[in-house]
Amino acid sequence: MQTMAHLMFGLSSLLVQALLALQGIHAVDFKVIEDDGKTPGNIRFENEISLDYSLQTLESATTFIWRIFGQTNKADRKNVHSISLFVSPIDKDIIAYTIRGHHIHVNVNYLADYSGDVKREFTGILYYEITHVWQWNGNENAPVSLIRGIAAYVRLKANYAPSNWQQAGAGNRWDERSDVTAHFLDYCNSLRSGFVAELNSKMRTGYSDNFFVELLGKTVDQLWADYKAKYLAD
């Protein structure tokens, strides 16, 4: 009976943890709004992606980002109560963007023209854009290249990096483009586990290039030189 009691207590504990996790994620209201047109993009979205999958991805990406940023407590996160995803036509040169802090727009025309696995690409886009919802931006003082690079880092760590991204070690500057920055941040994180989470946390109230020195003991340019030397040696 004692063993059974311990088992029941263990199961109850797991159930409580699961319910708490669900309450945490359900504190955020997720919505997906699809344009009601019947364009090739709409049809492809409905056939290969779907509204249900989009909602699931909004939730799973949010929990993944909280984990990447080490935001286990609500107080560590932005005070975001809802995230809305709009799947609709946008200017053809735009893939997606996030405005008002929690409104994500994905270009349905881009989905129509995408030649590969559109569901995987769509998922990667959402991981990138939802990162913009949750990440800190130094009170808008952090470099845009770093903000985008952190979002790309999240997409990279979620294993949704597209095939046309630069490989690790490529690039002439750490902030040259978001995929280059993502790989560089991954290198920095290998030097200090949790580096990206700590960097993001520091950007809650402001930004300084000295954050790299404080966390890793070197300037960002010195770290970039080490990163390039590592791949040249390999």
Side-chain angles (χ1 to χ4, degrees), residues 8-200:
M8 291 301 293
F9 177 79
L11 289 173
S12 298
S13 178
L14 288 172
L15 180 59
V16 169
Q17 291 177 36
L19 288 173
L20 287 173
L22 284 172
Q23 288 171 4
I25 192 67
H26 288 156
V28 182
D29 181 28
F30 299 97
K31 297 177 182 177
V32 181
I33 300 95
E34 181 192 6
D35 180 73
D36 60 2
K38 289 298 178 183
T39 67
N42 291 114
I43 294 170
R44 193 173 190 192
F45 173 78
E46 292 165 5
N47 291 341
E48 299 183 45
I49 300 171
S50 81
L51 291 171
D52 286 344
Y53 179 78
S54 301
L55 279 171
Q56 293 168 16
T57 304
L58 289 174
E59 291 195 17
S60 60
T62 289
T63 55
F64 182 83
I65 292 161
W66 288 350
R67 188 164 65 250
I68 286 284
F69 287 162
Q71 296 175 333
T72 55
N73 299 315
K74 187 176 180 180
D76 298 328
R77 309 173 196 140
K78 284 184 178 177
N79 188 27
V80 175
H81 299 291
S82 67
I83 298 176
S84 297
L85 168 63
F86 299 87
V87 183
S88 58
I90 308 173
D91 184 285
K92 70 176 184 177
D93 294 328
I94 298 174
I95 297 173
Y97 62 90
T98 299
I99 59 172
R100 298 178 186 171
H102 57 101
H103 284 187
I104 299 169
H105 293 255
V106 175
N107 189 355
V108 74
N109 295 328
Y110 174 77
L111 302 179
D113 296 336
Y114 189 75
S115 61
D117 183 342
V118 71
K119 190 173 187 178
R120 185 180 187 280
E121 173 68 1
F122 176 81
T123 306
I125 290 169
L126 287 194
Y127 271 77
Y128 180 97
E129 294 298 334
I130 298 172
T131 303
H132 288 330
V133 173
W134 294 111
Q135 69 185 148
W136 300 107
N137 64 6
N139 279 335
E140 300 185 356
N141 290 313
V144 173
S145 56
L146 179 57
I147 296 299
R148 292 174 177 169
I150 290 174
Y153 169 82
V154 170
R155 182 172 181 174
L156 175 70
K157 301 310 288 183
N159 294 318
Y160 288 111
S163 59
N164 64 346
W165 271 18
Q166 295 272 19
Q167 296 301 304
N172 297 310
R173 300 188 321 275
W174 73 272
D175 58 351
E176 183 176 338
R177 41 186 279 176
S178 61
D179 50 354
V180 171
T181 305
H183 286 297
F184 172 63
L185 292 173
D186 196 27
Y187 163 76
C188 291
N189 206 74
S190 73
L191 300 177
R192 179 186 176 112
S193 180
F195 164 79
V196 172
E198 292 179 90
L199 179 62
N200 179 69

Side-chain angles (χ1 to χ4, degrees), residues 228-234:
K228 293 296 290 185
K230 174 183 182 297
Y231 280 93
L232 286 172
D234 292 344

